[in-house]
Amino acid sequence: MIDVEGLRAKVRAGGGEKAHARLASQGKWSARARIDYLLDDPAEAVEIGLFAGHELYEEDCPAGGVVVKIGKVQGIPCVIVANDATVKAGAWFPITAKKNLRAQEIAMQNRIPILYLVDSAGVYLPMQDEVFPDKEHFGRIFRNNAVMSAAGIPQYAAIMGPCVAGGAYLPIMSDEAIIVEKTGSVFLAGPYLVKAAIGEETDIETLGGARTHSQISGVTDYRAKDDQEALDILKRLVAQTQRRASFQWERREPRPPRISPERIPELLPTDPTRPYDMFPIIEAIVDEGSFTEYKAEYGKTLITGYARIEGWPIGIVANQRTVVKSGRGEMQFGGVIYSDSADKATRFILNCNQKQIPILFLQDVTGFMVGTRSEHGGIIKDGAKMVNAVANSVVPKYTLIVGNSYGAGNYAMCGRAYDPRYIAAWPTARIAVMGGTQAAQTLLQTYKRGQNLSPEEEQNLLKQIRERYERQMHPLYAAARLWVDDIILPWETRKTLSLLIEAAQWGYTPQPFPVGVIQT
């Protein structure tokens, strides 16, 4: 089992004590201290991508060198993005760019303000080819700045350290920009590059410091004497933001769940191949007495139903891992999606869209059922209908990977590719195209081709393949690459979802569900 709390503490330390001491000697706060000062209640915030960059590069890159949180500032849900200057001076690794794009995506999906706390030395030059030129690289961030501006999504920036080259566009393409005296600077080329390019000798303050951009160029809108004053100005700007949407979900009085969320680990088997009942897991997440099951006697390897989480309405689509009987009398395997289950889920997703109810997907899925009988029964067509419904769903979607997340089951249950507004994994999660044993056996046959291996050599090769595959299935492997937004502990689920649903309500506008040909 992962020591989630221990890993969190290690990552939150950023670049270590020496780097934090150096930051303090410059009169600067840490990225996390800046965010905590902005937030109404830091304990209620949801962090995105805490484990991004974990063991991803030769260079250590805690949290991808940037801290991203969703939380309330002056009562308004916001996305906050803060470069961590203790990690390689806030330099941009490939995962840093990916994490920034994810933060912007969340702001755009929910139409909530995004706040940039800029303190970065720019692109990490040894990896510039993986950060700079492609569609989802560094430049996409500035494209998103422009798109959000056109959409009326508020963007505010506080320049609290260096802001160099292409990175200078991020705060200046925001609606309003604050710059901190002595520590904040903005320029397309620093003093050394200016001298090399045109022979001019200058210094940071003259070239692009707070006085230059506040009095001469007019590039920035507010000047602050230190971090605290800059953040106070930022709070006042956010407080003036007006809510654009008139739609509100009816939030009823929250009730605690029937089963304590702290008991969830007891309800999950230690062996991911063993069956278990998903209903108690649901009862430990939703408000007591709020769950109403939809089509309870049909398509039993998927559970669908309406509930409330902290008073908010939610639709639930969950894999059922017990062994159940179908209407035809034969046994069905838990965690597998059958034709009837896919049909039920498709209908339920349509209903949630018609009622404008957000949907939570609880994944523990090994895929769609295979074999002659399933193929003759049209499993591909029924699965395609479910995938189509998930892809076209217009209500907010949230995904929690409880256990297995394999193959096309990941897609049908709203994996990362299907734009959930938030996707997290419990420490028990496993994400891959198929299970480790099946994958190892399949790969072994490929590797054996043309080779005469002894039984001992074959077993050693099988072990190597399985170990590598198991490592790639681990939730930390997924979190390091931002396949999931975070690894959360089961008892944190209700608080996290409550904040996210409230954030979604800020700019939500009901839309008609676009029914495609495949649904007919």
Side-chain angles (χ1 to χ4, degrees):
M1 186 62 71
I2 311 169
D3 178 12
V4 174
E5 294 289 15
L7 280 169
R8 284 174 175 172
K10 184 179 178 181
V11 173
R12 286 169 180 156
E17 290 183 10
K18 287 185 179 179
H20 280 278
R22 186 165 57 250
L23 204 67
S25 71
Q26 299 167 2
K28 296 161 72 172
W29 294 1
S30 70
R32 293 184 179 277
R34 289 166 174 170
I35 291 177
D36 285 352
Y37 184 79
L38 278 176
L39 290 166
D40 298 346
D41 184 354
E44 292 298 316
V46 173
E47 183 155 1
I48 301 295
L50 176 63
F51 299 112
H54 177 76
E55 297 182 350
L56 202 56
Y57 310 116
E58 290 183 11
E59 297 281 358
D60 197 21
C61 186
V66 62
V67 182
V68 176
K69 290 192 179 186
I70 306 169
K72 291 183 185 178
V73 178
Q74 302 294 291
I76 297 171
C78 296
V79 178
I80 308 174
V81 182
N83 299 111
D84 188 346
T86 69
V87 180
K88 295 293 179 184
W92 289 64
F93 287 74
I95 197 66
T96 316
K98 185 173 183 179
K99 189 169 172 179
N100 273 263
L101 289 170
R102 176 61 182 141
Q104 290 182 319
E105 181 182 38
I106 292 168
M108 288 189 281
Q109 286 175 327
N110 295 285
R111 300 184 63 84
I112 58 177
I114 183 166
L115 318 180
Y116 306 104
L117 309 183
V118 185
D119 191 350
S120 171
V123 168
Y124 184 61
L125 291 178
M127 303 186 77
Q128 65 84 25
D129 60 321
E130 298 180 51
V131 182
F132 170 67
D134 209 348
K135 180 180 178 181
E136 297 299 326
H137 283 179
F138 197 48
R140 187 75 171 185
I141 292 166
F142 317 131
R143 175 264 185 193
N144 287 350
N145 286 140
V147 169
M148 282 191 280
S149 180
I153 298 168
Q155 301 174 83
Y156 305 111
I159 302 162
M160 313 180 84
C163 190
V164 187
Y169 287 106
L170 186 147
I172 309 311
M173 291 185 74
S174 299
D175 299 332
E176 296 179 81
I178 306 156
I179 189 167
V180 179
E181 293 176 0
K182 298 180 182 178
T183 58
S185 59
V186 188
F187 33 66
L188 293 180
Y192 294 124
L193 184 54
V194 167
K195 184 174 182 180
I198 63 173
E200 179 186 353
E201 290 198 15
T202 185
D203 58 69
I204 288 175
E205 282 299 312
T206 304
L207 183 63
R211 179 181 173 276
T212 293
H213 287 309
S214 298
Q215 295 182 4
I216 301 171
S217 72
V219 164
T220 54
D221 307 301
Y222 308 91
R223 179 158 47 146
K225 68 177 184 297
D226 54 25
D227 281 12
Q228 182 171 339
E229 185 176 20
L231 296 172
D232 284 335
I233 295 170
L234 198 50
K235 285 184 180 183
R236 293 199 295 272
L237 294 176
V238 172
Q240 294 168 356
T241 304
Q242 300 301 307
R243 187 165 183 255
R244 292 176 173 268
S246 58
F247 180 88
Q248 291 191 51
W249 286 292
E250 180 200 1
R251 187 182 190 186
R252 295 183 182 169
E253 185 66 28
R255 291 199 299 269
R258 184 179 68 82
I259 296 174
S260 170
E262 280 73 17
R263 285 194 54 210
I264 291 176
E266 303 170 20
L267 304 173
L268 292 167
T270 54
D271 181 352
T273 64
R274 285 185 56 198
Y276 66 93
D277 190 357
M278 182 63 83
F279 280 107
I281 304 293
I282 293 173
E283 292 289 347
I285 293 174
V286 305
D287 295 5
E288 183 176 8
S290 69
F291 185 67
T292 302
E293 190 176 0
Y294 172 81
K295 288 187 177 290
E297 300 178 72
Y298 179 70
K300 291 186 176 181
T301 61
L302 275 178
I303 299 169
T304 53
Y306 306 102
R308 290 188 178 265
I309 293 177
E310 292 288 342
W312 297 105
I314 195 82
I316 292 176
V317 180
N319 300 109
Q320 174 60 300
R321 286 295 305 273
T322 57
V323 179
V324 297
K325 291 185 178 181
S326 75
R328 296 186 296 272
E330 79 273 16
M331 302 300 283
Q332 293 191 340
F333 300 100
V336 178
I337 302 175
Y338 284 75
S339 286
D340 53 359
S341 302
D343 175 65
K344 176 170 80 169
T346 301
R347 291 167 182 259
F348 181 71
I349 292 166
L350 293 173
N351 285 350
C352 287
N353 276 268
Q354 185 182 47
K355 297 176 180 181
Q356 300 297 327
I357 296 175
I359 305 173
L360 170 63
F361 293 84
L362 297 175
Q363 284 197 16
D364 193 344
V365 58
T366 52
F368 285 90
M369 191 58 191
V370 297
T372 304
R373 182 166 187 168
S374 291
E375 298 294 355
H376 289 184
I379 184 65
I380 294 176
K381 183 71 171 177
D382 290 320
K385 288 179 181 178
M386 181 177 173
V387 169
N388 191 291
V390 172
N392 282 302
S393 179
V394 295
V395 297
K397 298 173 292 191
Y398 307 96
T399 302
L400 185 62
I401 303 175
V402 172
N404 301 318
S405 179
Y406 296 161
N410 170 281
Y411 303 155
M413 292 294 292
C414 199
R416 171 63 93 198
Y418 290 80
D419 296 327
R421 298 202 181 192
Y422 178 77
I423 178 169
W426 283 352
T428 46
R430 295 291 182 272
I431 305 167
V433 72
M434 64 178 73
T437 301
Q438 298 92 323
Q441 292 287 355
T442 304
L443 287 167
L444 179 65
Q445 299 308 312
T446 304
Y447 294 160
K448 279 172 59 179
R449 201 168 293 159
Q451 297 187 54
N452 187 20
L453 300 177
S454 68
E456 184 179 352
E457 290 173 327
E458 187 172 312
Q459 286 304 308
N460 286 336
L461 181 57
L462 184 65
K463 181 183 177 184
Q464 291 173 19
I465 295 170
R466 186 184 294 115
E467 286 176 351
R468 184 173 73 249
Y469 202 85
E470 289 288 340
R471 181 176 64 84
Q472 294 174 352
M473 293 167 63
H474 199 278
L476 266 175
Y477 191 91
R481 291 155 179 78
L482 282 177
W483 298 349
V484 294
D485 291 319
D486 199 6
I487 300 171
I488 65 172
L489 297 169
W491 50 88
E492 298 170 337
T493 302
R494 280 171 55 83
K495 181 192 76 172
T496 299
L497 289 172
S498 177
L499 175 68
L500 294 169
I501 295 170
E502 185 174 359
Q505 183 175 249
W506 176 261
Y508 183 70
T509 302
Q511 301 175 52
F513 182 79
V515 179
V517 172
I518 206 164
Q519 263 95 49
T520 59

